[in-house]
Amino acid sequence: MRAVVLTSFGGPEVLETAEVEIPEPGPAQVRIKVRAAAVNPVDAGERAGAFGGEAGVRVGLGWDVAGTVDAVGAGAGSWSVGDEVVGLLYGLLKPFGTHAEFVVLDASAIAAAPRSVDAVGAATLPLNGLAAARALALLKLDAGQSLLVTGAAGAVGGFAVQLARRAGLVVSAQGGAGDEELVRALGADHFVPRTGPLGSGYDGVLDAAVLGEAALAAVRDGGAHVGVIPGASPASERGIRVETQEVAADGELLAELVTLVDEGVLTLRVAETYGLEEAAKAHVRLQEGGVRGRLVLVP
């Protein structure tokens, strides 16, 4: 099968589309014929060597996947060949990723695909939707309380805005020039320009833009701050509870998010699509910045 891999770290030029062996599902696993797979900042970080790794060892990229179950291992539950699914392949520096024609996932990491969108749209949900949902759960805010979402026009931030509004929170969304219409359409009550002050007194902040101490300063005494990158959250002060979400493969939670997609609560945003052999072009576009929606590879 074809797969996007790297054996050295650097810019987009290190990516290769190589012929590799088709993986076989083990116990409680399924193999998926990939129809679409999103490109995320974590993929660019892996490619650049931000998470370490050993030169000369093959690394496969890709966390998100939408596709069709192609083979089923023993004990994989009710999944059958032909099922349309979405899933998350968790983990850094994997020998196989979802940027390939086939991928093996734990059966517990997948959910039935949304009925209301195609595979390209569905592939944008798992990583960023799960991250947003887990971050909001850590905030532990009640309906009527105030939330600031930094980086609200991004993938995690956009899902967070929609999930927070559904939970009855009063949402302030921070974004760049030209983002106000977008974040208000996602449900934000207030828009906070990136070039201005964040404000203060929020019950909680979901810091999708990784502003750190600046975002913490916007939280009221005794409030909550949740970051999205392990190791990047600021130290607690003024009695503020500081936590960091770390995404995990969770088919049950993903199934709940799929339902919200089909109910029209969550919007899936695709910026551009590329073939597997165009992965380097997708990485170039990602590092240019300003992408509103996900770049998606289509085998």
Side-chain angles (χ1 to χ4, degrees), residues 2 36 40 87 147 166 177 250:
R2 294 179 305 142
N40 289 284
L147 171 68
R166 180 175 180 270
D250 184 338

Side-chain angles (χ1 to χ4, degrees), residues 21-27 29-31 70-73 96 102-105:
E21 61 273 26
I22 297 177
E24 296 295 331
Q29 292 184 322
V30 300
R31 185 171 67 206
D70 169 77
V72 179
F96 290 98
F102 296 89
V103 67
V104 167
L105 269 70

Side-chain angles (χ1 to χ4, degrees), residues 30-40 43 61-69 84-90 94 97-106 109-114 118-128 130 254 258 276 296-299:
V30 300
R31 185 171 67 206
I32 298 168
K33 182 175 175 56
V34 179
R35 295 180 61 198
V39 179
N40 289 284
D43 299 309
L61 297 180
W63 293 52
D64 289 313
V65 65
T68 306
V69 173
E84 299 292 329
V85 298
V86 289
L88 177 69
L89 182 61
Y90 175 84
K94 307 174 288 281
T98 64
H99 296 171
E101 292 180 303
F102 296 89
V103 67
V104 167
L105 269 70
D106 291 340
I110 64 176
D118 63 13
V120 172
T124 68
L125 176 65
L127 177 60
N128 296 289
L130 288 168
L254 184 55
V258 166
L276 281 183
V296 179
L297 301 184
V298 180

Side-chain angles (χ1 to χ4, degrees), residues 95-299:
F96 290 98
T98 64
H99 296 171
E101 292 180 303
F102 296 89
V103 67
V104 167
L105 269 70
D106 291 340
S108 61
I110 64 176
R115 301 183 303 276
S116 57
V117 298
D118 63 13
V120 172
T124 68
L125 176 65
L127 177 60
N128 296 289
L130 288 168
R134 289 168 64 87
L136 282 172
L138 286 174
L139 282 164
K140 300 178 182 177
L141 298 179
D142 296 321
Q145 290 190 287
S146 59
L147 171 68
L148 170 66
V149 178
T150 69
V156 173
F159 285 135
V161 169
Q162 293 187 302
L163 291 171
R165 285 295 295 130
R166 180 175 180 270
L169 303 181
V170 179
V171 181
S172 294
Q174 183 245 14
D179 287 336
E180 182 171 3
E181 182 178 356
L182 168 63
V183 298
R184 287 193 181 277
L186 294 174
D189 298 284
H190 309 288
F191 176 68
V192 180
R194 183 183 297 156
T195 54
L198 292 175
S200 61
Y202 298 103
D203 294 306
V205 170
L206 195 163
D207 190 16
V210 199
L211 301 182
E213 292 181 357
L216 186 72
V219 183
R220 65 166 173 81
D221 294 358
H225 174 290
V226 172
V228 296
I229 298 180
S233 292
S236 176
E237 60 180 48
R238 297 184 287 112
I240 297 171
R241 180 170 52 84
V242 175
E243 302 201 46
T244 305
Q245 83 80 31
E246 183 168 2
V247 76
D250 184 338
E252 290 186 7
L253 179 55
L254 184 55
E256 294 177 17
L257 297 175
V258 166
T259 297
L260 296 180
V261 170
D262 285 335
E263 291 177 350
V265 174
L266 291 180
T267 302
L268 304 180
R269 294 178 288 151
V270 175
E272 299 175 44
T273 60
Y274 300 83
L276 281 183
E277 68 282 358
E278 298 178 303
K281 291 182 180 180
H283 279 241
V284 169
R285 178 65 189 93
L286 183 63
Q287 69 184 19
E288 288 173 348
V291 178
R292 293 296 175 256
R294 273 288 164 255
L295 308 174
V296 179
L297 301 184
V298 180

